[in-house]
Amino acid sequence: MSEPKIRPNHARTWLLLWVATGISCAPTDNVVGATRGVQLSGVAAGNAGDIAGGGAPVRGVGGGPGNSQGGMASAVPPGQSGAGGFVGSPLATGGTAGSGGPSTGNGGVAAAAPNELSFAPFVEYPTAKSPRSLALKDLNGDQKLDLVTANYAGGSISVLLGVGDGTFQARVDYPTAPASNWVAIDDLNSDGAPDIALTVLNSDTIEVLFGAGDGTFNAMSGVLGSVDMFSVSLGDVDHDGNVDMVTSPNASGSVGVFLGQGHGTFAAARYVAEGQGCHFVGLNDVNGDGNLDLAKVNMDASSVSILLGAGDGSFTSDQDYPTGAAPLFVAFGDLNDDHQVDLVTADASANEVSVLLGVGNGRFAPRVAYATEKYPTHVALEDLNGDRHLDLVATDAFAGALVIRVGLGDGTFSAQLDNQTATFLDAPYPEASAVGDLNGDGIPDLVAVNSGTDSIGVLLGTSAH
């Protein structure tokens, strides 16, 4: 493991946390590497199997089974779905070790009282150029969470194996086609080892890297789909025991459903709904019938569409719900403890998130909007402070920030306490984040991909639980 490198930083930045109680908002000097990619509203910081939601409704959020979206991760053996998330994926052989070690922020955070949020200093780890998405999973069966990023400009994925104390080994890069965009992890060929599915912009192919089970990946293969697929989510939509893939079109076209046939092969795509500038499609059982349903965000139409799954790989016609302008992501979770799945969308052009509470049978109440900083591209849900209520983490790309709102347990979130404008470091541009327990202390930690600095940023949670 590379030794952390502390870099002097003379910029002054705010760590902003929007909470109702228990957090102070104060300027912090010399947070080296910090808020370069992550800025918090408060002091401190797709699931045991990954950071996504999986199959049935889960408290930790995320999209569908085995993909990289939201939710707290805790390591599980390869090939097993974690509670609420990914199924892991090992590295590929023949990769190239990346250079450079982590950078840490100066200063520390005092121990927090129960239900307060606090995080250790920010630490950065280099990736290949321009990481766009990430997934957390135990890739090598050592019960420690590892990390994979899709690197847009680098034409690669970067794999960083977790040490188990919240740090990562030096990265290993694996070449892919140019414009790698979205990464998801699950056991695609039923061999018990996690595999990687990757979308590539301006391409009609989903790239698949099969895991060897030891933290390496074998040669890449491709699954033919529609041109310019933006994201991919993974889950068993037809109850045959094989993992299926669902893709979102980047600009136009339809959502593609690729049914897994076992051994890592997939049937030709079925197209189920027009994309309307759809940047993301998530999978979750939103009506409690045991079948995975689709939620797709429509950037051009400023809406989220629900397509109920029939359990055989087909879906009903979509029901649209208005969101804020240009939604880019949707997360799932039970925000008010009524055992119904609720939705939260990241509405980029509106500089807000939309909360849509589930009212049963796959239907949702009108949205309630909460402001973020600037241009949220991703949102994650997890109980960060141990009060048994889901909290919200919005990744604000143009602000270079992670904005946190504390959940109150009734479907609402804390009000903004500090209206001061943050002073940010140089253009980090974080695009996605994940929540997981990286050091095995039972406290959620935060990770963000920073395409502006070609790195991931880690904030280890120190809140008392």
Side-chain angles (χ1 to χ4, degrees):
M1 183 190 74
S2 302
E3 290 297 322
K5 178 178 63 176
I6 297 179
R7 294 177 284 128
N9 174 21
H10 303 295
R12 182 180 183 86
T13 186
W14 283 85
L15 299 184
L16 300 177
L17 189 50
W18 296 356
V19 297
T21 59
I23 299 293
S24 59
C25 298
T28 302
D29 291 311
N30 299 321
V31 184
V32 179
T35 53
R36 284 175 53 106
V38 188
Q39 171 224 349
L40 286 171
S41 298
V43 181
N47 306 338
D50 50 313
I51 46 175
V58 293
R59 283 189 58 78
V61 34
N67 61 29
S68 62
Q69 310 144 33
M72 177 173 176
S74 57
V76 297
Q80 296 183 17
S81 294
F86 279 45
V87 181
S89 170
L91 297 190
T93 55
T96 303
S99 59
S103 303
T104 61
N106 290 334
V109 177
N115 298 333
E116 287 187 350
L117 286 177
S118 63
F119 294 86
F122 176 96
V123 180
E124 272 186 301
Y125 293 84
T127 66
K129 192 169 180 59
S130 190
R132 297 286 294 270
S133 65
L134 77 163
L136 289 175
K137 180 58 189 178
D138 178 9
L139 302 176
N140 55 0
D142 64 355
Q143 307 298 307
K144 301 165 185 174
L145 283 177
D146 309 307
L147 188 149
V148 180
T149 65
N151 308 310
Y152 180 83
S156 67
I157 61 169
S158 293
V159 180
L160 294 86
L161 295 179
V163 178
D165 59 359
T167 64
F168 291 90
Q169 298 179 27
R171 78 179 197 265
V172 177
D173 296 332
Y174 298 92
T176 65
S180 297
N181 192 67
W182 198 274
V183 61
I185 305 176
D186 209 330
D187 181 5
L188 302 178
N189 57 0
S190 303
D191 65 352
D195 310 306
I196 288 178
L198 180 75
T199 60
V200 177
L201 297 186
N202 307 311
S203 170
D204 61 0
T205 301
I206 305 168
E207 297 191 352
V208 176
L209 292 86
F210 293 109
D214 59 357
T216 64
F217 291 106
N218 297 315
M220 179 176 61
S221 64
V223 178
L224 188 64
S226 61
V227 175
D228 211 13
M229 294 170 286
F230 192 87
S231 73
V232 58
S233 293
L234 306 176
D236 185 1
V237 301
D238 59 356
H239 297 290
D240 66 352
N242 299 318
V243 175
D244 310 309
M245 299 191 295
V246 178
T247 62
S248 63
N250 185 30
S252 61
S254 301
V255 173
V257 178
F258 301 78
L259 297 181
Q261 299 178 313
H263 309 295
T265 60
F266 294 84
R270 302 178 182 180
Y271 295 100
V272 298
E274 290 299 319
Q276 301 179 55
C278 175
H279 272 225
F280 179 76
V281 176
L283 289 170
N284 205 296
D285 180 7
V286 301
N287 62 350
D289 65 353
N291 301 323
L292 287 178
D293 308 307
L294 285 176
K296 67 184 183 76
V297 289
N298 307 308
M299 179 179 174
D300 296 345
S302 295
S303 66
V304 58
S305 300
I306 301 299
L307 293 84
L308 298 179
D312 59 0
S314 65
F315 296 86
T316 63
S317 57
D318 50 339
Q319 175 68 47
D320 295 338
Y321 296 89
T323 65
L328 298 183
F329 189 81
V330 59
F332 307 87
D334 183 4
L335 302 177
N336 55 357
D337 298 322
D338 65 352
H339 306 292
Q340 304 291 339
V341 175
D342 308 311
L343 307 179
V344 180
T345 62
D347 306 333
S349 295
N351 300 326
E352 64 190 22
V353 296
S354 292
V355 175
L356 296 89
L357 297 180
V359 296
N361 298 320
R363 296 176 293 114
F364 296 87
R367 77 182 185 107
V368 176
Y370 291 86
T372 66
E373 283 291 314
K374 191 172 184 181
Y375 208 77
T377 54
H378 187 276
V379 63
L381 299 174
E382 183 55 64
D383 178 9
L384 299 176
N385 60 358
D387 66 356
R388 301 183 182 273
H389 304 316
L390 289 179
D391 307 309
L392 183 154
V393 182
T395 305
D396 280 20
F398 289 177
L402 294 184
V403 175
I404 296 177
R405 283 183 180 270
V406 171
L408 304 182
D410 58 0
T412 65
F413 292 89
S414 58
Q416 181 180 1
L417 293 185
D418 194 306
N419 294 320
Q420 292 176 303
T421 301
T423 301
F424 302 101
L425 301 180
D426 52 329
Y429 204 81
E431 295 197 51
S433 61
V435 186
D437 184 5
L438 302 178
N439 56 359
D441 64 357
I443 300 172
D445 308 308
L446 298 183
V447 186
V449 286
N450 311 321
S451 62
T453 55
D454 303 332
S455 67
I456 61 164
V458 176
L459 285 159
L460 296 179
T462 57
S463 305
H465 273 52

